[in-house]
Amino acid sequence: MKAVTWQGKRDVRVEDVPDPKIQEPTDAVIRITSTGLCGSDLHLYEVLTPFMTPGDILGHEPMGIVEEVGPEVPNLRPGDRVVVPFQISCGHCFMCSAGLQTQCETTQVTSEGMGAALFGYTRLYGAVPGAQAEYLRVPQAHYGPIKVPEGPPDDRFVYLSDVLPTAWQAVAYADVPRGGTVAVLGLGPIGDMACRIAQARGAGRVFGVDLVPERLTRARRRGVQTYDLRDFDNEKELIAAIRDETEGRGPDAVIDAVGTEAHGSVAARLAQQASTLLPRALGGPLAQRFSVDRLAALHTAIELVRRGGTLSLAGVYGGTADPVPMLTLFDKQIQMRMGQANVRRWSDDILPYLRDEDPLGVDDFATHRVPLSDAPHAYEMFQRKQDGAVKVLMTP
């Protein structure tokens, strides 16, 4: 089959790889009909290269048709249309029962000290072959895949794999009071969808911050009060502008949908780039022990949120030696929640929003739809924020 493989920093290729097969009785194999390109994939493209191996198959946002199931997958049959969550979870361990599927005790990558295995996301998360491919082996298929109805196009449901539950969890963790205020830093796919979900769940005002014109325009069209970073000389001016809209206090909650590759953290960026240039035998251990994130977005969030407010981190962070302003966090009595989205915890809550009225705008959420063969160009375009690329879907 054809699949998108990682070959080095900023080097992905579409290659022929072996077809997946049933390996365990709880496996399924699906034929992928749509698969997304995620901002998290760009971390592999640029920052997390010390944890990658040439030939790794990328991708974690698939949906498709079931081709084959193992003998211990009673709820699926060939021909079923399914969305596959980006994490692999069993559904019956302590963590899954607590709604923490990204900490699944059955699939935890204990050798690396990490949580549940993820599709297409480095050796830290199990080096499981990913979903930017023609076919996908799905472990724990008795629990993970979400059956969806025939009829509507893939765009209606494909975001259940990652974008929708990640944005939903970001809003849930932000704990925005009904009629309250929330600022979303970063209006890429997750930030954009978090704005929409916050509005749908009763937020009074939603502020969105970015510096890409197309992203700001998309959010503004849906009633988000947007702020272009380029209009401000520094972070303090931005914070003052939003505080002026919130009686001088700041928003009740701030969602950081940027993460480790924030603009403005020059020293951290240089440190990240240095680790990617080292041989993997050296770069991996160095990154695991001494890595740092670009923390500009997080520092802005901490300063911006009102005292007693909540920070929700949806952007991926991977540093192990990050300096965090604990004095400010403590003094402002800030609550902070974070983590990979627990997809199956939220999927039943989200499905009613995927009706024909399309209140979240999923049907036209993608800005680009390309064949799988165009993946190298799609990665480059998305990474450079060219051609208005906000969300890219690929079709094998």
Side-chain angles (χ1 to χ4, degrees):
M1 69 171 183
K2 299 289 186 182
V4 180
T5 64
W6 183 91
Q7 298 297 334
K9 183 178 179 179
R10 299 181 191 167
D11 182 6
V12 300
R13 306 174 195 175
V14 179
E15 296 190 322
D16 288 310
V17 301
D19 290 350
K21 298 179 180 179
I22 299 290
Q23 298 179 22
E24 301 291 339
T26 52
D27 286 352
V29 172
I30 71 165
R31 173 176 56 84
I32 294 173
T33 55
S34 292
T35 186
L37 173 54
C38 178
S40 297
D41 292 323
L42 296 185
H43 300 323
L44 311 182
Y45 192 65
E46 181 85 23
V47 175
L48 298 179
T49 58
F51 306 113
M52 300 294 290
T53 301
D56 282 350
I57 300 175
L58 301 173
H60 57 268
E61 296 187 347
M63 72 173 294
I65 306 300
V66 175
E67 292 283 304
E68 185 180 1
V69 297
E72 294 182 16
V73 185
N75 53 324
L76 293 181
R77 63 183 62 185
D80 283 345
R81 190 185 193 198
V82 296
V83 179
V84 180
F86 70 88
Q87 85 266 147
I88 302 167
S89 54
C90 71
H92 56 73
C93 69
F94 172 86
M95 291 294 179
C96 287
S97 299
L100 294 168
Q101 288 86 351
T102 55
Q103 311 304 326
C104 175
E105 292 174 320
T106 300
T107 73
Q108 278 181 14
V109 187
T110 54
S111 60
E112 300 288 347
M114 305 299 279
L118 309 179
F119 288 105
Y121 216 77
T122 82
R123 64 172 173 81
L124 295 179
Y125 290 100
V128 181
Q132 290 168 6
E134 293 181 309
Y135 294 89
L136 177 70
R137 171 182 166 252
V138 182
Q140 305 296 322
H142 61 284
Y143 176 67
I146 303 163
K147 287 199 284 189
V148 296
E150 297 293 337
D154 281 7
D155 294 53
R156 182 72 57 84
F157 303 112
V158 66
Y159 305 114
L160 278 169
S161 60
D162 184 351
V163 173
L164 282 166
T166 296
W168 188 280
Q169 179 171 292
V171 174
Y173 280 8
D175 196 24
V176 187
R178 192 159 194 86
T181 54
V182 58
V184 179
L185 307 184
L187 297 174
I190 302 303
D192 186 343
M193 186 56 72
C195 290
R196 302 179 188 203
I197 291 170
Q199 291 170 324
R201 297 190 62 184
R205 298 177 72 186
V206 179
F207 308 106
V209 181
D210 208 296
L211 45 67
V212 180
E214 294 85 356
R215 295 181 175 185
L216 291 161
T217 299
R218 275 168 61 100
R220 194 179 307 119
R221 285 173 179 164
R222 297 190 67 91
V224 176
Q225 187 169 330
T226 58
Y227 294 81
D228 188 335
L229 278 174
R230 298 169 302 172
D231 293 340
F232 301 91
D233 290 333
N234 53 56
E235 168 197 303
K236 292 188 181 298
E237 288 187 3
L238 168 68
I239 291 170
I242 299 177
R243 280 182 177 164
D244 285 346
E245 299 291 326
T246 56
E247 300 180 5
R249 286 188 294 267
D252 298 308
V254 175
I255 295 171
D256 173 2
V258 179
T260 185
E261 294 189 82
H263 291 267
S265 304
V266 178
R269 180 180 182 184
L270 292 174
Q272 288 176 343
Q273 290 177 338
S275 69
T276 68
L277 298 174
L278 293 171
R280 284 186 298 116
L282 298 175
L286 180 67
Q288 281 183 281
R289 295 183 62 189
F290 302 111
S291 59
V292 293
D293 291 298
R294 305 181 212 172
L295 296 174
L298 178 59
H299 287 165
T300 298
I302 292 169
E303 289 298 321
L304 177 59
V305 70
R306 70 163 169 81
R307 291 179 177 272
T310 303
L311 296 184
S312 175
L313 308 189
V316 173
Y317 283 98
T320 55
D322 289 336
V324 177
M326 291 302 299
L327 172 62
T328 304
L329 288 167
F330 185 86
D331 178 65
K332 291 184 71 173
Q333 202 168 337
I334 292 170
Q335 300 179 71
M336 185 183 297
R337 297 193 71 181
M338 67 194 80
Q340 302 278 9
N342 304 294
V343 175
R344 291 306 305 267
R345 176 176 180 176
W346 310 113
S347 57
D348 288 346
D349 294 332
I350 297 168
L351 277 167
Y353 288 83
L354 304 183
R355 56 186 186 270
D356 288 343
E357 294 82 2
D358 192 20
L360 299 179
V362 293
D363 284 349
D364 59 1
F365 190 71
T367 54
H368 293 72
R369 296 171 180 81
V370 302
L372 192 69
S373 57
D374 284 353
H377 171 68
Y379 268 83
E380 181 179 10
M381 173 182 66
F382 190 33
Q383 198 265 344
R384 296 184 178 183
K385 301 178 176 64
Q386 296 173 335
D387 194 27
V390 177
K391 186 59 185 177
V392 181
L393 293 179
M394 293 184 282
T395 305

